[in-house]
Amino acid sequence: MPETVITIDGPSGAGKGTVCQLVADRLGFHLLDSGALYRLTALAAEIQSVSFDDVEALADVAETMSVKFEVTESGVATLLDGKDVSRAIRQEHVGMNASKVAACQPVRDALLQFQRNFVQAPGLVADGRDMGTTVFPGAAVKVFLTASAEERARRRVLQLDQAGNATDYDAILLDINERDRRDMERNSSPLVAAADALQLDSTEMSIDEVLEVILARVEEGS
Ligand code: C5P
């Protein structure tokens, strides 16, 4: 039986990361956090002092970096060229730089096959912006998860507060709007729902409600 692929796309902060992890845990599926690959490319470029305007050099960074996801007792560690960068890639400025490198088609081309190689039995939950449209157009179940920008900013502030970081709601909202604009307006794989995706607005839904709707959809599709 072929592996089942479930794609969950949507803008920053819609809750995709948490939902994908829960869906993968419930089904015993593997997980692809494609945003981490763009974050890793941005971090590697920063470390190598590559200009964010030099598209070919950025693609070269994406092609040559060595990436490993290692399961540890405290979760999944992300290794870049052998070094644990799990925390470093989550910094706000790395996310912003990731959205710049993600707008370069050669970078997207360099990461395409790498992402497809994550498909493994019994199945994969793929988290991103173009999973259902470009990377896995034949996925069995596609979800497009959104929430209002204000609600996404509120959730991000809560997350940062809980981690003991100083936060500024207005700055985070600006950041979210800027990233949405860049992701939606770019020419290469812009953020858009696949025609056959289930569209879910989670603004007034709990994570558990979102999870149950997605699992019901998977059940219907299998
Ligand atoms: O999901 P996350 O915020 O970690 O992604 C970082 C950035 O990578 C996003 O803002 C987006 O610009 C880019 N990205 C993308 N395509 C994906 C996943 C992420 O363009 N499939």
Side-chain angles (χ1 to χ4, degrees):
M1 193 179 121
E3 300 85 357
T4 305
V5 176
I6 300 170
T7 60
I8 304 187
D9 290 304
S12 306
K16 291 182 293 137
T18 311
V19 168
C20 285
Q21 182 71 62
L22 291 170
V23 173
D25 286 350
R26 284 280 279 269
L27 300 174
F29 279 17
H30 299 273
L31 186 65
L32 165 63
D33 172 7
S34 62
L37 300 179
Y38 291 96
R39 287 172 179 268
L40 284 159
T41 307
L43 183 65
E46 184 187 335
I47 292 169
Q48 294 172 34
S49 304
V50 168
S51 160
F52 288 103
D53 297 321
D54 190 341
V55 175
E56 293 308 323
L58 290 172
D60 197 48
V61 168
E63 243 157 53
T64 55
M65 66 184 180
S66 144
V67 172
K68 273 206 192 106
F69 295 103
E70 245 174 40
V71 180
T72 70
E73 275 180 11
S74 51
V76 177
T78 306
L79 306 187
L80 173 63
D81 298 324
K83 193 168 163 240
D84 188 345
V85 295
S86 315
R87 286 170 69 95
I89 58 165
R90 295 295 151 201
Q91 300 171 92
E92 288 297 311
H93 83 275
V94 176
M96 193 50 97
N97 288 339
S99 83
K100 290 183 195 160
V101 305
C104 308
Q105 186 61 47
V107 170
R108 306 197 75 86
D109 293 342
L111 295 176
L112 185 63
Q113 193 54 47
F114 189 71
Q115 296 174 84
R116 289 184 173 157
N117 290 344
F118 276 78
V119 177
Q120 242 189 90
L124 178 74
V125 182
D127 167 349
R129 303 292 187 287
D130 62 340
M131 299 293 98
T133 50
T134 306
V135 182
F136 303 110
V141 173
K142 298 180 186 179
V143 177
F144 193 77
L145 186 64
T146 58
S148 70
E150 290 73 18
E151 173 62 14
R152 289 184 280 133
R154 198 188 64 74
R155 291 177 189 170
R156 182 78 186 127
V157 166
L158 208 69
Q159 232 178 27
L160 288 167
D161 274 351
Q162 281 166 355
N165 295 313
T167 51
D168 173 357
Y169 172 85
D170 291 333
I172 286 174
L173 182 59
L174 264 179
D175 211 76
I176 282 182
N177 281 323
E178 166 68 16
R179 242 199 277 178
D180 281 0
R181 190 192 54 73
R182 217 198 302 271
D183 287 351
M184 288 191 261
E185 289 180 4
R186 69 180 178 220
N187 294 320
S188 310
S189 291
L191 173 64
V192 61
D196 50 350
L198 167 70
Q199 300 215 25
L200 269 183
D201 181 340
S202 75
T203 306
E204 294 187 6
M205 291 172 84
S206 68
I207 290 284
D208 282 342
E209 284 169 331
V210 172
L211 175 66
E212 292 313 320
V213 172
I214 295 175
L215 290 174
R217 180 69 170 224
V218 174
E219 187 83 0
E220 276 168 30
S222 58

